[in-house]
Amino acid sequence: MEEFDFGGEIVWRPTAAQQARTHLKRFMDQYQIASFDELLRRSTDDLDWFWNAVLAQLGIEFYEPYTQVVDLSRGAAWARWCVGGKMNIVHNCLDKRIGTPMQNRAAIRWEGEEGATRVLTYGEVDRDVNRVANGLRALGLSKGAVIGLYMPMTPEIVIAFLAIAKIGGVILPLFSGYGAGAIATRLIDSGAKALFVADGMFRRGQLVPMKPIADEAIALTGERSAIQHVIVYRRTGIAVTMQASRDIDWNELVAAQPAQALTERTDAEDPLMVIYTSGTTGKPKGAVHTHCGFPIKAAQDMMHGLDLHESDTLYWMTDMGWMMGPWQVFGTLLLGGTMLLYDGAPDYPGSDRVWSLVERHGVTLLGVSPTLIRALMKFGDAPIKQHEVGSLRAFASTGEPWNPTPWLWLFHTVGGGKLPIINYSGGTEISGGIVMGNWLTPLKPCAFAAPLPGMAADVVDEAGNSVRGAVGELVIRKPWIGMTRGFWHDPDRYLQTYWSRFPNVWVHGDWAAVDQEGLWYILGRSDDVIKVAGKRLGPAEVESALVKNAAVQEAAAIGIPDDVKGEAVVCFCVLKPNVAATATLRLELKNQVANELGKPLAPHVLVFVRDLPRTRNAKIMRRVIRAVYLGKDPGDLSALENPAAVEEIRQAVAA
């Protein structure tokens, strides 16, 4: 394995007062656990104790108690949780709040790109969820029905989301930027019986239709379609075509429906949600999650890592089609906090939009991606100084590995060197994080504190042996409550993807490393690794060297076949506004990488482009870039937020 140059110094340490107020410290004190390391050991050595304790700390209520917290009789890959328990996660999010002071607290704050704002209390959300649930039942939809969500981030998407769960249905979140083909694929595979859709949405001042795309998608499903009903929410007020007997207006659905509704008593392991993720090859994978799985893990991460309290307002820039959307909904509501939803572009109509949202809505916890911060950096400090952001007490981040330059910009320029950046990495199939920062341990730039409690994470070599101080594969050695219950109707692919390399060990597909002080680093997808003359090179190392140059906004590095070295490095750079793409700058950047990483690792080719293909959760799709560069089929592109970037790379390479 290759040694890893960790570098970096500790830049933030929690105070004793900050530690004392955390959910995590109180949890440790309750069980007389002296150190975080001791908690990590106990949480993975004794799964029964730990997950029972988490369920108790979250106050999860069951209609009928479970008899066993985990059953491993079918092996780690098919662990069953809260065996025999009857529950519905909506009861824990909403029902139990009614008749308490909590029903008058803000559950959702919302702002649209056009400037409209709304605030809904827990009681108001409960009322609206009940009306939609009653409307769904009136359409003949019930327990087990898969129902899709193709809407922008408005309160109505949360209400529909929870209403589906309330009747025991299966939620199918769909990215609001999907085209018809991507939607059709997921509708067919899931067997969805109904679809919530908005008429359209606003992006950068433009009206973007959604209903016509949904109609096209359903038409593409043809005879394979199970769609019986389409519920249309009027977000923009544009005229849309309504198909008789199939389409119904949102307001008609809930008209005259009572504000009380029965919550279906589901089994703890009944399917709650199927979220599709794109693989390198083949059709998208439908990760299956249950009532006692995804929501519990989301809330535990939010409690033990981010430390969200009832007094907090969380804004995570996300879409419901990315797991961070459902994660925010379930985690915030289970902990009694407030979520902020923003339906619009983060830099429209001005580059200060994010900071104005923080000020207007009193955001205390701000979730970002490294990609977003790199984009906002180009506007300098002025947009931040226009607003009072003193409500913030922490940042959180996920989506891509950090480079030090944007991490330090966020830490110093926005946070004044005082606010922690709670780094977070995991995945859709995890229901949240494998590793995360916290409020008990110090921070280095770009690093993670440790695995989350309950996650038996490790870094291993090719033989599966633990390694430290070197780059290896990220694995998980024991099951956890949020793990996907497999892929929708495709158990073999699930086993092949995660469990086929080492016996009873989940191989996540990320490169990781742990330094001598115990801090963790995620270095990107292991299938993105570049091997030059036998040396493994993570794309993030090359990209970090490039973005240190004041001319570079963003970069992506890939490896291509080379007869001499095995692989050679090819880099793609997005330059900052008003920077010219010259031969002199290209040479300067190549030399910068050579000076920092060594001449053998200098880029063989460096290409200037205006954008890089990325997913909705801001992950740069290096496998797509590599395929296009080599003239191969780039595979499934349905998760791309900006598919035009693929064609631009193709043209840039051809030139």
Side-chain angles (χ1 to χ4, degrees):
M1 303 302 291
E2 301 299 331
E3 292 188 359
F4 178 63
D5 179 16
F6 297 94
E9 300 294 331
I10 290 171
V11 295
W12 179 85
R13 293 180 185 274
T15 65
Q18 286 174 323
Q19 292 175 325
R21 78 178 295 270
T22 63
H23 292 297
L24 189 56
K25 183 65 166 62
R26 292 170 184 172
F27 182 84
M28 292 167 58
D29 289 347
Q30 179 180 352
Y31 294 99
Q32 299 179 319
I33 297 172
S35 69
F36 185 69
D37 287 342
E38 181 185 342
L39 171 62
L40 290 182
R41 286 193 299 272
R42 189 171 172 187
S43 72
T44 54
D45 287 346
D46 191 345
L47 299 184
D48 284 348
W49 163 77
F50 179 70
W51 293 109
N52 271 312
V54 167
L55 290 163
Q57 190 182 20
L58 290 171
I60 301 300
E61 296 181 356
F62 288 76
Y63 300 123
E64 296 179 22
Y66 54 86
T67 57
Q68 187 179 1
V69 73
V70 60
D71 173 11
L72 300 177
S73 61
R74 296 177 58 203
W78 301 111
R80 294 172 62 234
W81 297 86
C82 300
V83 179
K86 299 291 184 184
M87 66 176 297
N88 187 304
I89 202 62
V90 175
H91 168 84
N92 290 278
C93 292
L94 296 176
D95 299 6
K96 70 181 186 181
R97 314 286 191 199
I98 305 308
T100 76
M102 179 64 72
Q103 74 176 23
N104 297 316
R105 291 180 57 86
I108 301 173
R109 300 183 66 91
W110 173 79
E111 182 167 319
E113 188 178 84
E114 75 278 24
T117 61
R118 291 160 61 193
V119 179
L120 280 74
T121 66
Y122 275 82
E124 290 168 333
V125 173
D126 178 73
R127 175 202 64 201
D128 292 348
V129 167
N130 288 339
R131 287 175 172 160
V132 174
N134 287 329
L136 292 174
R137 285 177 170 138
L139 294 176
L141 297 163
S142 59
K143 182 180 177 182
V146 179
I147 302 174
L149 291 171
Y150 179 55
M151 301 168 69
M153 292 297 278
T154 65
E156 285 69 24
I157 195 171
V158 175
I159 290 161
F161 179 94
L162 295 169
I164 297 167
K166 189 177 183 79
I167 70 169
V170 180
I171 306 162
L172 171 64
L174 298 164
F175 173 44
S176 63
Y178 273 152
I183 297 171
T185 299
R186 289 154 176 80
L187 293 179
I188 293 168
D189 191 68
S190 66
K193 292 184 176 181
L195 177 66
F196 283 92
V197 62
D199 56 358
M201 60 183 174
F202 298 107
R203 286 298 179 273
R204 302 190 182 281
Q206 301 298 311
L207 198 154
V208 181
M210 297 181 73
K211 175 63 161 57
I213 296 173
D215 289 340
E216 182 184 352
I218 295 170
L220 287 172
T221 62
E223 295 180 353
R224 294 173 292 175
S225 175
I227 292 290
Q228 300 167 3
H229 306 286
V230 175
I231 300 108
V232 183
Y233 169 63
R234 307 284 182 164
R235 165 73 176 101
T236 65
I238 59 172
V240 294
T241 301
M242 300 289 283
Q243 181 174 312
S245 78
R246 188 197 71 181
D247 298 351
I248 182 171
D249 187 276
W250 174 288
N251 291 329
E252 292 180 23
L253 179 75
V254 301
Q257 293 292 347
Q260 290 78 39
L262 176 71
T263 301
E264 186 72 28
R265 294 191 172 209
T266 54
D267 190 273
E269 282 288 77
D270 276 344
L272 166 70
M273 180 168 56
V274 56
I275 311 181
Y276 283 85
T277 62
S278 295
T280 304
T281 59
K283 68 179 184 179
K285 310 182 295 285
V288 178
H289 294 292
T290 65
H291 281 261
C292 78
F294 187 108
I296 306 305
K297 170 64 172 165
Q300 183 232 339
D301 291 4
M302 209 175 278
M303 178 172 63
H304 287 165
L306 195 53
D307 194 47
L308 183 138
H309 292 258
E310 290 181 2
S311 57
D312 281 312
T313 296
L314 170 65
Y315 172 38
W316 206 295
M317 280 164 263
T318 184
D319 184 276
M320 200 63 76
W322 176 31
M323 64 145 285
M324 295 307 294
W327 180 91
Q328 178 175 239
V329 171
F330 283 131
T332 305
L333 296 180
L334 288 175
L335 291 171
T338 303
M339 72 187 84
L340 170 63
L341 307 178
Y342 170 58
D343 177 25
D347 57 356
Y348 185 88
S351 57
D352 65 329
R353 189 63 185 260
V354 170
W355 318 119
S356 72
L357 287 166
V358 170
E359 180 179 25
R360 258 192 308 282
H361 298 281
V363 173
T364 58
L365 300 169
L366 176 64
V368 300
S369 68
T371 304
L372 175 71
I373 297 307
R374 287 192 290 264
L376 295 179
M377 278 177 61
K378 67 184 179 185
F379 301 115
D381 301 357
I384 302 159
K385 293 178 179 177
Q386 295 175 33
H387 299 281
E388 173 52 58
V389 296
S391 61
L392 286 172
R393 66 183 189 92
F395 304 105
S397 74
T398 192
E400 272 272 298
W402 278 100
N403 311 116
T405 301
W407 193 100
L408 289 167
W409 181 86
L410 178 65
F411 182 71
H412 289 296
T413 303
V414 185
K418 298 177 181 179
L419 306 184
I421 301 174
I422 308 293
N423 215 4
Y424 189 46
S425 184
T428 301
E429 297 90 336
I430 304 294
S431 296
I434 302 172
V435 291
M436 193 174 190
N438 60 59
W439 288 80
L440 300 187
T441 57
L443 279 179
K444 287 182 179 180
C446 309
F448 300 81
L452 279 143
M455 301 301 291
D458 199 1
V459 180
V460 303
D461 61 17
E462 293 91 338
N465 301 311
S466 298
V467 294
R468 294 296 181 265
V471 177
E473 284 272 7
L474 177 64
V475 302
I476 309 170
R477 295 192 177 277
K478 292 186 179 180
W480 65 100
I481 203 166
M483 59 191 288
T484 180
R485 293 351 185 221
F487 295 154
W488 190 256
H489 302 316
D490 200 350
D492 292 341
R493 190 180 183 194
Y494 163 65
L495 294 174
Q496 180 63 34
T497 301
Y498 291 112
W499 298 96
S500 60
R501 187 162 173 191
F502 306 119
N504 291 316
V505 174
W506 174 289
V507 179
H508 192 59
D510 278 348
W511 288 119
V514 184
D515 70 13
Q516 300 306 315
E517 295 170 277
L519 278 82
W520 287 58
Y521 299 80
I522 302 296
L523 307 172
R525 299 296 296 170
S526 53
D527 52 10
D528 287 338
V529 72
I530 306 166
K531 196 168 184 179
V532 180
K535 178 177 175 57
R536 285 185 177 85
L537 180 67
E541 294 181 79
V542 182
E543 293 156 12
S544 292
L546 290 167
V547 299
K548 286 181 181 178
N549 191 294
V552 178
Q553 182 62 42
E554 197 167 26
I558 62 169
I560 62 166
D562 183 89
D563 291 340
V564 177
K565 298 181 179 180
E567 281 193 311
V569 179
V570 174
C571 298
F572 294 80
C573 291
V574 178
L575 300 179
K576 291 181 180 177
N578 303 318
V579 174
T582 65
T584 301
L585 178 58
R586 180 179 285 107
L587 180 60
E588 178 186 333
L589 292 172
K590 286 184 175 182
N591 289 337
Q592 186 164 322
V593 176
N595 292 337
E596 183 155 334
L597 301 180
K599 289 184 178 180
L601 304 180
H604 175 66
V605 176
L606 193 146
V607 181
F608 295 119
V609 292
R610 290 177 298 176
D611 201 4
L612 298 170
R614 69 189 80 250
T615 64
R616 59 189 178 275
N617 56 330
K619 289 184 180 179
I620 295 171
M621 296 289 275
R622 295 176 186 84
R623 60 104 174 157
V624 170
I625 297 172
R626 187 174 189 272
V628 171
Y629 186 89
L630 295 175
K632 297 181 178 179
D633 179 4
D636 179 24
L637 302 180
S638 61
L640 287 187
E641 186 175 53
N642 55 342
V646 176
E647 183 57 32
E648 182 180 350
I649 287 175
R650 186 177 283 113
Q651 293 177 4
V653 170

